[in-house]
Each structure stands twice: as C-alpha cells, then as structure tokens.
Amino acid sequence: MAEVARPKKPRQTAKGQDKKKKGTTDIKKKENSRPEPELNQELISSQPTKVEFSTVGHKSQNEAVSKPNTEEQSEDYQLLPTSMVAEVPVEILHEPELCTKTASIAIDESDFDSKQLIALDGEQKQFQLNQTKLNSDKSSNLHQQVSENIKVTEALGLPCSSKTASDDSKQNVSVIEPTVYGSSVDHENISSQKGGVNKKEKETIVRKDKKNPAILILGEREVVGMDLQKPVVNLPVQLTFARLYPDLPIEDKRDSRTASVKQVSPHFQTLYPEVPCESEIVPFSKEELKIFALGSWIENVDTYTEEFLSVANQDKNDLYELLMNYGRCRKQLQLAAAEQQTMICNYISIEQRLWTFKEEQLTIQGVCADQAKVSAYYRFQTVEMNNLVLGELKRALDIKADHLHQTMALHAYTSVVSRLQVESYIYRLLNNSPTFRAVAVLQKQVNQELDCSYSDLQLLKESISVLFSFTRRIIEDNQFHSDILLWLQKLVAVLHSVGSSADLLFLLNHVLRCPAGASKWAAPFIQIEVFNNSAGIFLFMQALALLLSPIKFRSEFLMNMKPCDQKSQSTPTEKGVQNWTLVDEAGEEDEDPDTSWLLLSEDDLIILLSQFPFDELFKQLLGITIKGEYCPEKSTCHQMMKIIGFASSLVEILALGLETFNRARYRQLVKRIGQMIRRTICYVSDHWAQFSTFHKEHGVEMDQFYSLEKLQVEFDELFLRAVLHVLKAKRLGIWLFMSEMPFETLSKQMIWKLFYILHCVECENIEGLCAKLHSDECKIKLKDPEHKEKFEQCLSNITSSEGICLLTTFAHMTHSKKENVDQEFVKIVALEIYEVAYVSPSTRESFSKVGRELLATISTAHPHAISILLDRVQETIDKVGMVSLYLFKELPLHLWKITSAEMSVIRGWLLNHNLSTAENKLACIILEGLNWGLDEQQTKLALDPSLHTEVALMVLEAYQKYLTDKPYSGFISESLKQVSYLANVVRLTQTPEALFNHWAWELVIRLKLRSNCPCSDQGWPTSNNSFTAPEMNESPALHPLFKAVKSGIPIGCYLALSMTSIGHSVDMFCSEGISLLEVLVQSKYLKAVVHVLDEILPIFYPCQYYLLKNEQFLSSLQLFLQADSVVPQGMTQQMTHRVAQHLIGISYGENIKLLNSMIQTHLVESSKPGRVGIADVLEFWIQVFTNQHLWHRDKTVMFLMDNLCKTAFLHQQEDCLQKTLYQQHKVWFSWIIFNMEAIFEEDSQLRRYMELELINNSSFTPDQALKKAQSHLKLPVVPSIQRLMIYRWAHQALVTPSDHPLLPLIWQKFFVLYLRRPGPEFGLPVSGCIGKRYFHSTSHSTLLKEMKKRLVEIADFHHEAGKALRIWKKGHSSEDASSADENLVIQRPESMTSPELHRELLRLFHVFTFWLEDINLQKNDLTYPLYLCNMMHTDWQK
C-alpha cells in the first residue's frame, strides 16, 4: 500500500513521466510478443468480470448474502463488507477434477463502466488492469465455456472472521495471495497500459490447507487520510450470481474434530456449496492486516532510498564547484597562515641572536676621613649588536612582510570572494522562487500551504545534497565546517516550510549517511508532528521504518572518511603496545575493526529516535484528543480492529530495528526499542481491556465480523508476534521487557502457547513452530519429562541474565485477572520454577535465589500455589534438603489457607524427625509463618479456630518429646538474652533444643486459644456469651495437657490457662490458676505471663478484690517485676549494663514494656460502652503497684506508675489517681510534688528575679514582682501567686500531722525561703530577710499567725509525747517484754520510739517559733555570730 498512504507531491517532473511511459511501452511489447489464445479465452482473461460470491450458510458465521447500500452505510462499515466482492479475470482450463464444483456465472449487466484495478502481486510488483465494456453478444460464448470448466485466476476477497476448511481429498479451493493494495496512479499511465497484463502474474495459486482472503482496494482516491478513526477505501460495486446447475452431493469424510460441522444440504440456492467451517477462529495473516496499517512501510523503504539516491550525488552541481573552490581557498589560506607562523618563529629565533650581553664589574677604592681605605663593587651589563645577525633579521622581516602583503592578503581575499560566491548562489536560489523568497528572504509568516514548483524544490534538494556531501569529508578547517552547517541549516529550514512529507524522508536519508556524531547538529532536521497534520502518521511510520532499516550504500557515501592504514601510522615507540579485542558476553568478537568506523554511534541513533513523538502517535492511535479526552468504551469494533492492525505494523517496524542493530555496541538502543514494543503492547492491552470489559458488562451488541472472540484472537496474535521479535534479540538485555508484558489480557489458550514457545527459545524455526501449535498440544508437551530436560539444558546454555528474565516472564504470566485464573497453568509454572531453582543440578546454583523470589511472587497472587509446592517438597525433600527452608521463609505463608491434610504432613515432620533435620525445621518455619491472627477484614480468624487448638496440642506433644527430660525449662530464655547490650558482638551458642524452646513459646503465644468471645472482644466478657470452656480432666483430647500440668511443664501451664476452664472462670483461676501463673513467673517465661494477664484480668476488673487480697497473686507480680529488671550475671555483662545506663539512660526490660502496653490497652478497652470503665482499671493497678514493698524506690514500678498518671491525665481521670495515692501516701506524695515544683522555680530563675524586684522596689507587692519577673523572663507558663513555694510549704506545714517524720523537713524548707537574705548575688549589699515581704497582705498575715499557733501545738505534742513514752518504758523493760509487746513496739511509728527524739524535736520547734517571732532576724545590720552568742546566753539563763 505504498502509494495509498503517501501524500501527493506538488508536481510531477517530465523526466519521471517519461520513465513511466517507457515502462508501459515495455509491458505492451511483452504482451504483443506472446501467442494469442483462443477467442473465448482471450475475452475472459483480458477483461475482468465483476462477480459476487454469495453463499447460504450459518448466520453465526456471517456469510449470509447482503448487498450493502454504499450511500447509507458509513465508511467504517464499508471497510469490511459482509459479502466477499471481487473483480477478477477468469480463464478457461480443462481440468476434469473441478467438475464436481462447477457453476455458472450469469452476467446481469452487459456493459460496465471503465474502472481501474491496481494490484500488487506476491513479488511486490505493480500491474494494472483496465475494465472495458463487455458486449452482450459475447455472453453466450462465455457461458458455454464456463459450463465446462472455470478457473479463477485472481480471487480477491476481504478478511473473514472465521476459518473455512474442506476435505483435502475432495476439494481444491483456488485463492490468491493477499498482497493486493489500492494505489493512486497517473491517468496517462493508465491509458498507456490498457491490456498490459503479464500472463505469469495471472497464474492461479491453489492452496489446500487454508483459504486466505485477498485485499482489494478500488477507487480513484489519490490521498488517504492518516486518521485511524477514518475509513481507508471505498467498497467496490457488488454483482450477483445466477445458479445454472443443481448441487452435487458431497461425501462427508470429516474427522472427529469436525464432526460437529453442519453438512451441506443437497438443495441450496447458491452458486457454490457451503464449505464446512471449524469453530476455531483464525487470526488474520500479516498481509491481511496491512489493510489496517495504512501503508507498507517497510516495503517502501527501498522506493524512497532509490528516490534519494537519484538526487544525492551532485558532483557536477554549480554549488558543488563553488564549495570546492571555497574549500581550496580556505586550505591555501591555512597553508599561508601556517607559513606565516613559521616565519614568526624564525624571526624570534634570529632576534635572540641579535644582541650579545656581557656582565661587567667596576671596583672603586677610597680613603675615609678616618684614613681607612674602603672599596666598592658595581656590577652591570653591556650589550653588543651583531651586524651580521641584523642583516639576517632585516631579510627575514622583508620576506615576512612580502608574504603577508602578497600571499596572505591574496588568499584571504580569494577566500572571502569564494564564500560570497556561495552565499550569492544560495541567495539567488532562494530569491528566484516566490515561495522561497517569502519564507527565507522576506521571512513572512505563512499560515497556509505554499505552492512551490517542482523544479525549484528539486534545485533546493540538490543544493542540500551538495552541502551534505561536504559533511562526509575530513575537514580540518573549523571555519569551513561551520559555514557548511550554517548554510545547511538555512536550506533545511526552507525545505521544512515548503516541502512535503517525502522531503523529510529525503533529509533523514542524508542524516543516516553522515559520519558518526552527526546527530549533534543534524537531529533538529528531523521534525515530525502527528497532531494537526494529515500526513503525520504516514510521516512518522515511514521515517521510523527508514531509521530502523539497514542503511544501504553508507560505505559509498563515507568513502572519503575511510581512515588510513594503521600500519603506516604506527611508530617504533608503539611496538610494545598490546592490542586488545573486545568480546561480548558469549565470548565472541563484537565487530570488525576494519568496518566499525562505518557504523553510526549509539548516541546518534538514540538522539534520532528521540525525535519521534511516540506519545502523540499513541494518543492518535487510542483516540485521545489534544485536550486529553479519552473514552475507550465509545470505540467501535472496527476501530478496535484498526488499532490492533496498526499496532501490529508498528511492532513489525520496531522488530526490524532489533534485527538491524543486533550488536553489542547498540545495547542501549536495542533496550529502547524493546521498551517501545512493550509500551505499544501495554497501550493496546489497556485499551482492549477497557473496551472488552465495557462491552461485556453492558451487553453491547457486537458486529457480526468483529466479535469479542475475534478481537481477542487478533490481540493474542499481536502479542505473540511481539514476543517472538523480542526473543530473537539475544544477549542484549531486551528480554527484560518481555517479563513486563501485560499478560493479564491474554486468553488462556495463548498463555499456554506462549509458555511452550518460551521453552523453545533455542529452536531455530520458532515461527514455524507457532503456526502448528495448539493449546492442548502445549499442555501435553509441557508435561513430557523429555521436554523438561531439554528446557533445563536450554537454561544452562543461555546467559544467566536471560535465564532470569525468562523465569521472571513465567512468573508474570500467572498474574491474570481473578475471573480468568487458570489453576492448572499456575501449578505447572510454579512446579517448573521449583524444578529449575531447587531440583535440577545444572540450574539450581544459578537460579535458586531468583527462583525463591519468583515463587514468592506467584504465591502472593495465588496462595494455593503454596500447597502445590508443599506436595512437591515432600516428594523431593531428600534432594532439596535445607535449601527448602530459605524457600518457605520467602513465601507469603500468612496468605495461605492450610488444610487438615497439609497439617497432617507438617505434624509428621514435626514429631517424626529430629530437631536438626530439614523436615523438622521446615515444619517449624511453616507453622511460624501462618497467619494466626485476624483476616483482612479484621472480623474473624484467618484460620479455623480448631487449627489453633490442634497446633497447640501438637507443639505441646513435640515439647514433651524433645525437651521434657532435659534441663531447659527456666534458664533457656534467660540464656538467649545474655548478649551484648550495645554491639551484640558475642552470641552464645544456641543448641537445637534452645532454639526449639524459643520457637515453641513464640508460636503458642500467637495462637488464639480463647474462643469465648468474638475476635474484637478477646478476653472481655459479654452478656450473650454462651461458650463453656472445656474441663482439662474431662476432655480426652486434653489428656496430654493434663499430664503436662501435673508434671509442672511451663508450656502446659500456659496452655491450661489459655484453653481450659481454669483461665475462663474466676473461681477456677483463684483456686488453681494462680499457682499455674506462679509456675510461669518462677520459670521466667515472663512474656507468657503478660499474655495470660491480658486474657484473664478483664473478667476480674469488676471483682478485683479477689486478686488484691490474694497474697500469692501479689507476690507473683512482685517476682515478675524483679525478674525482668535484674542486672545481668557475669562481670562482662554487668560492666556493659553500667556503661549502657550512662549512654542511653535507664532501660527497662522488654516484658516490663509489654506489661505497660497491656495496661494501656486495657485502659482503652475498658472505656468502651458496657464495660467497667477506666477508673476501675486504674484503681486496680495502683493498688497492685503500691502494695509492693518500697514501691516508691523501685524504678520499674515508678516507670509503670508514670505511664498510669499520663493515661489518667489524657482520659481526665486524675481524681481517681490522686484520691488513691493521697489516702495512702498523701504527705510523701506532697513532698515529692513540692520538690519537683521547687526545681522548676529554681531552674526558671523566677524566684531570683522576684527577689531582685522586691529589693529594688520597696513598695512592690509579691504580685507586682511576679508580673515583672514574668515579663522579663518571658516564661510560657508562670504559676499564680499562691503557687509560689514559700506559700506551698507554709500550707503543707499546717496540715501535716504532728507525728509525721517529714514535718521537721517541711518546716525547714519554709524557713530556708523565709529567712533568705538576698543581695550579694545581685551585686548589692546584704539586706534583711526577704520572707517578711511575702506576708504583708491581710490574707498572708493571717497565714503567718496560724503558723505561729501551729508551732506551739507541735511543741506541746512532743512535750507530752516524751513524758508518756518515758512512763511506758519504765513499766515494760525490753527483757521482759512478750512477743505481743514486741509486735506493738514494732508497729509503733518511729516518732514514738525514743524520748530523746521527742526532746530534740521539742527544742527544734521552739527554735522555729523564735525565728518566726523575732524581729531582729529581719534587720539589715544583724551579725549572726553575735546574735547566736546572745541567744545561747539567754537560753542558758532560762
């Protein structure tokens, strides 16, 4: 279809027309020289007859007779009509074998209008037939001959949607190859070639296997639009047939495959009997698809190359002579300049010899005034001119001046003149043509198509060819080279403005024949626009085919660039240099060094390929507008078929590039081409997926020719061709794109076919193999052991990278749509990869890692594949061994739904094989990887609850078998923790028993063994709970658990608490469960203890007093807190622990953190409606922690308490926390809080600045001083005046009991602030006590009075207490005291145990009272030593 898709040139040259006339004359001579046949045969063979093949068949096969109305139907529908139409000449042959299929042709019309039929035979030659009038008087003779035998020489039909077949032994179907294309030709050529038909070109081609329809295009259209959404050609006029003879019965000898085909009826009203058809839909051939491609791009490359060669060589052109002259002048100028430079160098060397320099010295002596003799030395240079050299220098300057004024000036002048001649020639060329003048000289903006004469255009192209020829020369003159490129850019710009699309191909041909590196300046010459361009698609496709085709005659064009012989360039110093030969990955030489200089560089081709707007092409292909509007569901079946056909043509062109540049030096280019093939297939695949999905969901009525099944077959065939092209490019890294193909949209049959083809990548005739394959045959062959061995041998022969790409492709082929999953295919692919990666000795070393990853990918999409792998591993565990562990670690076991049969296999591996075997380890890995939690919807367990119980008992049985008789119960988990806290450098040796113990505990903790509540309410009681936990001693299935509990096995105790009624009932847990919990704590399985508490405590929160009053429970928790916070044993571990504390601060055990997380979770869960509430949970844990001995000194308890306080604050439950703590430890609690607040007051310097303000301003109140300090410090949070520490300590001193041990310290804190004498720290003199300034207000003065009164009360209390204690001690000596009395003494507070203590406290509070009342302490001139002496004297007198 070379000329249909080719835009019309502006004008035809006389020279071209003469060539066409000459060719037509030659054809006529050949025809006249042949012997004339008989009259009737000549009439039939020389005059084409329009016939309409009309048969009655199944409506489903779309073969009913219908005569379309060309005026009413759209052009899209006319592209492929329902009836097969042909305009053919027929020839009478005497063949008795055709008598059974004879028919008559009745000519309904005696006269036919003259029409042109242009066809292209199998050898891509064009011939023309002219239709003439057929007289009615010759019809009778024609019918007589037809009644004997008929042979159709050129049966031209259109593509059908189903395959037609007949019995090979009884029928011969005559067809012609589908290589006929419509074309536009000159009317003069048509008239000169009437009747000029080669007899050889009319030979009938008989095929017995298949009837391939031909492509017929008629009409007088010369230019066909490039829009893919528009029709290509018009339909021919259809004729009807009259039936002359009755039908003959046909013997049915079909095989079983075609037994379902309906037999031909002996009485039918058609010319020919119905041909039996198979149900299988056959795709169009490559030739048939060309009707949708809008052109024969690859076939046209030679045509455009020949046109280019006709104008490329312009040695006799005037511009050529001018440029040669300019080049010679520039060369002479350069030679003169080089000679001038030599003269300058000679002048400099002579000048250096002109002067002779000598060093001289003068000595001067004299006598000073003191009669001392002195001397001085004066050194200087003298110069002497050489007269001989001066004369030589004059001669050199004369020669230089003469050369400059004569030779240099002459060559510079001739160079400028020759350059002006070239520019003058180019100016005249552009100025003489009105079109060129408007574009180049006047530089007008032209918005419409320009009409340029062919002669002017030809002169422009010839000039461009001349300039291009000079780019193919070795030019050392940069000025000359830059001038050539400048003129070339000007002329190319003009050609772009006035030329046609074929002229761009002319430029591309020139660029492809330029030396390497030309893309730097020639890439802008290739300008392709698809949008808003009627010839955009034609130009894109034809230019792409030209770029990716082999470049013919490139060596002839670059003959002036051939490098010199390397031997002549070698020097004696290069003899020791070694010559290196580059080889590719397979060890073969990449290319011949003698011819490699002819090749374009990879960068050139990549840059030129980047000039093609593939994005615009794909948008045009898929119907995407410039605004981005895309509606694939609105596409019709015809448009979908056009997209597939056009994409097939594009893939063929890109595949040509793979074949052309199949070299290691073009590796990146080939990858880009492969990427474009993948993008093409992906775009069509996405469009087809949306199209088919929309039509299936909405039930859109499909066309009778292009059903979804037919379109699916065509897409499959497009995909297959693309894969075959990619497979041909080996060792270039392009197979990677094959693994990224969209296999999701392929049919199941094509998936099987592709899978088998990929197994035969080393087959020589792989395309022939594809034509004979069927999906059922592929399945059978893929299961053949011999075939598997061949594939493994193939993988060992190809490179590892290609093997990885091939296996990756296998894995990606399983990623089909959910509704189109082929379980058998997934199985065979998974087993194939497993065999290659793990079983086969020749391939597993290379593909074990990638095989593991690919099997994980397949299992992620199809979790049932894990079951397939498990069965195969069970069969090959002896060959695979420990490698299977790595496989199942990679598999997504959390997605797998394991069955009971598969669990029995794992049970056998776990219980019947030792801990060090591969079977046992594999069973552990599988059980560990399963999802024992909730499913994706978070509504139920991912696995059946019965499996949880079964696995728990299985693990218990294995635990008893391997670990019961060995001392690994308590210290195993602790030994595993003995590692470095910082670097984890030293690890203890882990025995199989230790590893199994750790694995067993981790697994049983993950199991969901409490089934009394829904998953979301695990452990929390509900009102509608009807579940009853089994009794451990009553259920036969739990007998192993009963024995384990009786033996005191910790894992049995945990399972009993999780599975049986012991952990589900308050009474049972209090009576039996707490002892089991204590066993876990003592064995130091602390993580299990946390999980037990997490499950059991929710039922105890409403009745928490059962646990708070249970000493065994509280002691177990205390042991838990101590066990997880102990210092590691051993000198090394202790030192490491101490260093870690200094570096990272205090660290808490993992189980303490886990306990804290559990408490926080319970607090959140308890706040949900219908539950106990946060207050009860907070109260429970506060009482648990504060009941511990010396809890306020335990860092672990304080960490947990801190988190409780934080949670209480977030949930606004501070009252509950404060109330509990205050009732138990109110004074101690206040002491801690006040000290924390004092730290804030000190660090923020708030008190310091308040004191400064009070000293500087005697009239300031504490409120004013506080505001001043706040503004100065700019604190974000400032306490109120009542929150100052001097007032806080005062209030606390009033409310603290008189016998509390903290009371003296509290008063001490107050007096430290009250008697403070600031001043020196501010650079001021010492002032009086600052405390009195805080109590000037009425409210504060009242507080001071209350404090004085309180001090008197406390003094009286200690006075009376001292007397009572002395009386009590006189009557009860320590020697005669009974045990009960000793208990009483122990239970008394420390403040009541010593009379001396009360006496000292009495004196202390007397001093406090004196400090508060004495005014002298507030004075500025107070001297403390003198004041103390007076105080002691007064006290002594008292």
Side-chain angles (χ1 to χ4, degrees), residues 388-609:
L388 296 177
V389 176
L390 179 60
E392 185 179 353
L393 185 62
K394 288 181 178 180
R395 288 192 298 270
L397 289 175
D398 292 340
I399 295 174
K400 178 183 176 184
D402 182 70
H403 178 78
L404 179 63
H405 296 121
Q406 298 297 327
T407 307
M408 281 287 293
L410 176 62
H411 291 314
Y413 172 76
T414 56
S415 176
V416 172
V417 170
S418 58
R419 187 178 188 276
L420 290 176
Q421 289 176 350
V422 175
E423 292 187 344
S424 177
Y425 178 88
I426 295 175
Y427 178 80
R428 289 196 305 271
L429 173 66
L430 300 177
N431 192 51
N432 290 340
S433 173
T435 305
F436 295 166
R437 183 170 60 254
V439 174
V441 180
L442 302 179
Q443 296 182 355
K444 294 181 178 180
Q445 287 292 109
V446 181
N447 297 326
Q448 59 184 2
E449 185 177 355
L450 299 175
D451 187 11
C452 179
S453 65
Y454 182 79
S455 59
D456 294 339
L457 191 62
Q458 192 69 13
L459 286 175
L460 179 62
K461 293 169 67 175
E462 291 175 358
S463 301
I464 292 176
S465 298
V466 171
L467 291 172
F468 265 111
S469 66
F470 281 87
T471 62
R472 304 184 185 102
R473 296 172 176 267
I474 300 177
I475 301 176
E476 298 178 355
D477 186 4
N478 294 331
Q479 180 63 37
F480 181 69
H481 186 261
S482 61
D483 288 341
I484 293 293
L485 296 184
L486 178 62
W487 294 326
L488 187 58
Q489 291 172 0
K490 290 182 179 180
L491 296 185
V492 168
V494 175
L495 184 63
H496 272 295
S497 301
V498 302
S500 63
S501 58
D503 297 325
L504 177 74
L505 304 178
F506 163 78
L507 293 175
L508 182 58
N509 269 303
H510 266 301
V511 173
L512 293 177
R513 287 161 180 82
C514 288
S519 61
K520 297 178 181 179
W521 51 267
F525 295 171
I526 311 303
Q527 300 290 335
I528 301 175
E529 184 180 1
V530 177
F531 284 142
N532 300 325
N533 186 3
S534 59
I537 293 181
F538 160 78
L539 182 60
F540 184 100
M541 297 294 287
Q542 192 61 66
L544 184 64
L546 192 62
L547 175 64
L548 300 181
S549 299
I551 306 174
K552 296 182 179 180
F553 306 106
R554 178 173 169 82
S555 58
E556 286 78 0
F557 277 86
L558 297 178
M559 58 185 301
N560 294 325
M561 300 289 293
K562 186 175 182 180
C564 300
D565 191 1
Q566 296 180 358
K567 295 182 180 180
S568 62
Q569 296 180 356
S570 62
T571 60
T573 59
E574 297 177 348
K575 291 183 178 179
V577 179
Q578 297 180 356
N579 293 326
W580 293 84
T581 301
L582 297 178
V583 295
D584 59 6
E585 190 175 1
E588 301 175 356
E589 292 189 19
D590 181 22
E591 55 193 20
D592 185 6
D594 296 335
T595 59
S596 61
W597 64 272
L598 281 172
L599 302 176
L600 279 170
S601 66
E602 186 179 42
D603 292 338
D604 292 335
L605 294 170
I606 291 177
I607 292 175
L608 292 176
L609 185 63

Side-chain angles (χ1 to χ4, degrees), residues 667-796:
R667 184 181 297 271
Q668 298 302 321
L669 173 65
V670 169
K671 287 183 179 180
R672 289 175 180 263
I673 296 175
Q675 185 181 17
M676 295 312 304
I677 294 177
R678 182 188 64 84
R679 285 181 60 188
T680 303
I681 299 300
C682 288
Y683 287 145
V684 178
S685 174
D686 294 342
H687 190 86
W688 162 241
Q690 298 182 60
F691 174 84
S692 59
T693 301
F694 177 80
H695 283 70
K696 289 178 182 177
E697 292 178 353
H698 296 80
V700 180
E701 183 178 356
M702 301 298 296
D703 187 84
Q704 56 180 347
F705 285 103
Y706 301 120
S707 61
L708 287 179
E709 292 77 10
K710 171 61 177 176
L711 294 175
Q712 180 67 61
V713 169
E714 293 298 335
F715 174 76
D716 291 347
E717 194 69 16
L718 169 65
F719 199 102
L720 175 61
R721 286 192 292 268
V723 171
L724 292 179
H725 292 315
V726 172
L727 287 177
K728 293 179 182 179
K730 298 180 180 179
R731 297 190 298 275
L732 294 179
I734 193 177
W735 283 15
L736 175 64
F737 300 108
M738 183 173 59
S739 62
E740 300 174 356
M741 290 287 195
F743 297 98
E744 299 85 0
T745 49
L746 288 178
S747 62
K748 294 182 180 180
Q749 294 78 9
M750 182 53 65
I751 285 287
W752 280 101
K753 190 174 181 179
L754 273 177
F755 186 59
Y756 178 77
I757 290 172
L758 293 177
H759 280 69
C760 306
V761 290
E762 293 295 317
C763 181
E764 296 181 357
N765 189 18
I766 190 170
E767 293 185 355
L769 180 65
C770 298
K772 303 175 183 179
L773 283 179
H774 193 271
S775 59
D776 296 334
E777 298 176 3
C778 296
K779 295 179 182 179
I780 297 173
K781 292 181 179 180
L782 287 170
K783 297 177 181 178
D784 187 5
E786 183 180 355
H787 174 77
K788 294 181 179 180
E789 293 179 0
K790 291 181 179 180
F791 176 66
E792 293 172 2
Q793 183 64 28
C794 172
L795 283 180
S796 59

Side-chain angles (χ1 to χ4, degrees), residues 153-378:
T153 60
E154 294 179 350
L156 303 179
L158 289 175
C160 301
S161 62
S162 62
K163 180 181 179 182
T164 59
S166 62
D167 189 5
D168 295 343
S169 62
K170 293 297 182 180
Q171 300 182 26
N172 277 330
V173 182
S174 301
V175 296
I176 191 71
E177 282 292 321
T179 56
V180 181
Y181 295 77
S183 175
S184 62
V185 296
D186 201 344
H187 291 286
E188 297 178 2
N189 295 337
I190 297 176
S191 61
S192 65
Q193 296 184 15
K194 289 183 178 181
V197 180
N198 193 341
K199 182 177 181 181
K200 182 178 180 180
E201 295 172 345
K202 295 183 182 179
E203 290 180 358
T204 303
I205 303 173
V206 180
R207 289 188 177 180
K208 299 181 180 181
D209 54 349
K210 183 177 71 171
K211 181 178 181 181
N212 290 327
I215 301 172
L216 179 64
I217 300 175
L218 300 178
E220 299 179 355
R221 296 176 61 186
E222 294 183 353
V223 180
V224 179
M226 293 296 105
D227 193 349
L228 292 179
Q229 309 299 328
K230 295 181 180 181
V232 180
V233 293
N234 293 326
L235 289 178
V237 180
Q238 302 182 10
L239 298 180
T240 58
F241 295 89
R243 186 167 172 274
L244 300 181
Y245 295 99
D247 300 312
L248 298 178
I250 299 177
E251 183 180 358
D252 188 7
K253 293 186 179 181
R254 294 167 293 167
D255 55 10
S256 58
R257 291 178 297 177
T258 60
S260 61
V261 180
K262 186 176 180 180
Q263 298 183 7
V264 180
S265 175
H267 302 286
F268 53 88
Q269 303 299 323
T270 59
L271 177 62
Y272 296 105
E274 180 183 1
V275 180
C277 298
E278 293 183 359
S279 59
E280 181 182 0
I281 301 176
V282 177
F284 292 142
S285 65
K286 294 181 181 180
E287 299 298 332
E288 293 169 348
L289 284 174
K290 289 182 180 180
I291 191 175
F292 307 103
L294 304 181
S296 301
W297 319 112
I298 299 177
E299 291 80 357
N300 292 347
V301 170
D302 293 338
T303 303
Y304 286 105
T305 302
E306 292 176 0
E307 293 181 3
F308 163 74
L309 294 176
S310 64
V311 296
N313 189 7
Q314 299 292 333
D315 295 344
K316 299 180 180 180
N317 191 281
D318 294 339
L319 181 60
Y320 180 83
E321 295 297 334
L322 292 175
L323 289 173
M324 288 294 294
N325 183 42
Y326 178 47
R328 287 190 294 267
C329 293
R330 286 292 305 176
K331 186 174 183 180
Q332 293 295 328
L333 180 60
Q334 284 187 319
L335 293 175
E339 187 177 356
Q340 179 76 9
Q341 188 63 32
T342 304
M343 293 179 180
I344 293 174
C345 295
N346 186 31
Y347 166 78
I348 294 173
S349 64
I350 297 174
E351 186 184 19
Q352 293 176 354
R353 295 186 288 111
L354 179 62
W355 301 97
T356 303
F357 291 89
K358 295 181 181 181
E359 295 290 337
E360 298 289 343
Q361 179 177 328
L362 292 178
T363 304
I364 302 175
Q365 296 180 352
V367 179
C368 293
D370 58 354
Q371 300 303 316
K373 292 183 178 181
V374 295
S375 61
Y377 301 94
Y378 178 70

Side-chain angles (χ1 to χ4, degrees), residues 1092-1093 1095-1101 1107 1113 1158 1162 1180-1181:
V1092 170
L1093 294 177
E1095 295 172 350
I1096 292 177
L1097 287 181
I1099 64 176
F1100 277 96
Y1101 286 135
L1107 296 181
F1113 175 78
M1158 183 210 73
H1162 282 192
F1180 172 80
W1181 284 109

Side-chain angles (χ1 to χ4, degrees), residues 1171-1389:
R1171 296 184 179 173
V1172 294
I1174 295 179
D1176 290 345
V1177 180
L1178 279 173
E1179 183 180 355
F1180 172 80
W1181 284 109
I1182 291 172
Q1183 293 187 21
V1184 168
F1185 293 145
T1186 55
N1187 284 332
Q1188 305 297 323
H1189 181 62
L1190 298 177
W1191 65 272
H1192 54 279
R1193 297 183 181 179
D1194 192 337
K1195 296 179 180 179
T1196 302
V1197 177
M1198 296 306 295
F1199 166 73
L1200 297 172
M1201 288 288 292
D1202 182 67
N1203 284 276
L1204 281 177
C1205 294
K1206 180 175 65 175
T1207 306
F1209 176 78
L1210 294 176
H1211 291 84
Q1212 299 179 357
Q1213 295 291 334
E1214 304 98 318
D1215 295 341
C1216 173
L1217 189 64
Q1218 294 173 2
K1219 179 181 178 181
T1220 305
L1221 291 176
Y1222 188 75
Q1223 288 176 353
Q1224 297 182 0
H1225 312 282
K1226 53 186 177 182
V1227 177
W1228 296 99
F1229 182 74
S1230 300
W1231 172 261
I1232 295 174
I1233 297 300
F1234 287 176
N1235 279 285
M1236 292 173 58
E1237 294 180 358
I1239 293 173
F1240 165 77
E1241 193 174 276
E1242 185 70 25
D1243 292 344
S1244 63
Q1245 298 185 353
L1246 178 64
R1247 178 173 54 81
R1248 183 171 180 268
Y1249 276 94
M1250 282 190 64
E1251 293 174 350
L1252 179 62
E1253 294 296 334
L1254 292 174
I1255 292 174
N1256 294 334
N1257 300 280
S1258 58
S1259 61
F1260 266 27
T1261 63
D1263 290 333
Q1264 293 173 335
L1266 179 63
K1267 293 179 181 179
K1268 274 283 188 180
Q1270 178 182 359
S1271 62
H1272 178 77
L1273 297 174
K1274 298 180 180 180
L1275 296 176
V1277 178
V1278 178
S1280 62
I1281 189 65
Q1282 296 297 331
R1283 302 294 295 181
L1284 294 178
M1285 292 311 302
I1286 190 170
Y1287 301 127
R1288 298 275 283 168
W1289 289 118
H1291 284 289
Q1292 185 62 38
L1294 292 176
V1295 298
T1296 302
S1298 300
D1299 60 346
H1300 200 282
L1302 284 178
L1303 182 61
L1305 299 178
I1306 294 174
W1307 280 99
Q1308 182 187 20
K1309 290 284 187 181
F1310 167 76
F1311 280 110
V1312 167
L1313 300 176
Y1314 183 77
L1315 299 177
R1316 176 174 169 75
R1317 301 168 70 89
E1321 62 266 28
F1322 304 114
L1324 301 175
V1326 178
S1327 59
C1329 294
I1330 197 68
K1332 197 69 175 179
R1333 297 286 300 275
Y1334 288 100
F1335 295 92
H1336 283 174
S1337 63
T1338 305
S1339 59
H1340 291 155
S1341 61
T1342 304
L1343 176 63
L1344 199 60
K1345 293 178 182 179
E1346 292 178 357
M1347 293 180 68
K1348 294 178 183 179
K1349 183 179 178 181
R1350 178 60 180 163
L1351 284 174
V1352 174
E1353 294 175 356
I1354 295 173
D1356 294 340
F1357 167 77
H1358 285 290
H1359 178 71
E1360 298 295 333
K1363 289 181 180 180
L1365 192 58
R1366 284 196 297 271
I1367 296 173
W1368 180 83
K1369 279 204 171 187
K1370 289 180 181 180
H1372 299 81
S1373 63
S1374 59
E1375 298 177 353
D1376 300 333
S1378 62
S1379 60
D1381 296 332
E1382 291 177 359
N1383 292 336
L1384 290 175
V1385 173
I1386 294 175
Q1387 293 176 1
R1388 285 180 179 272

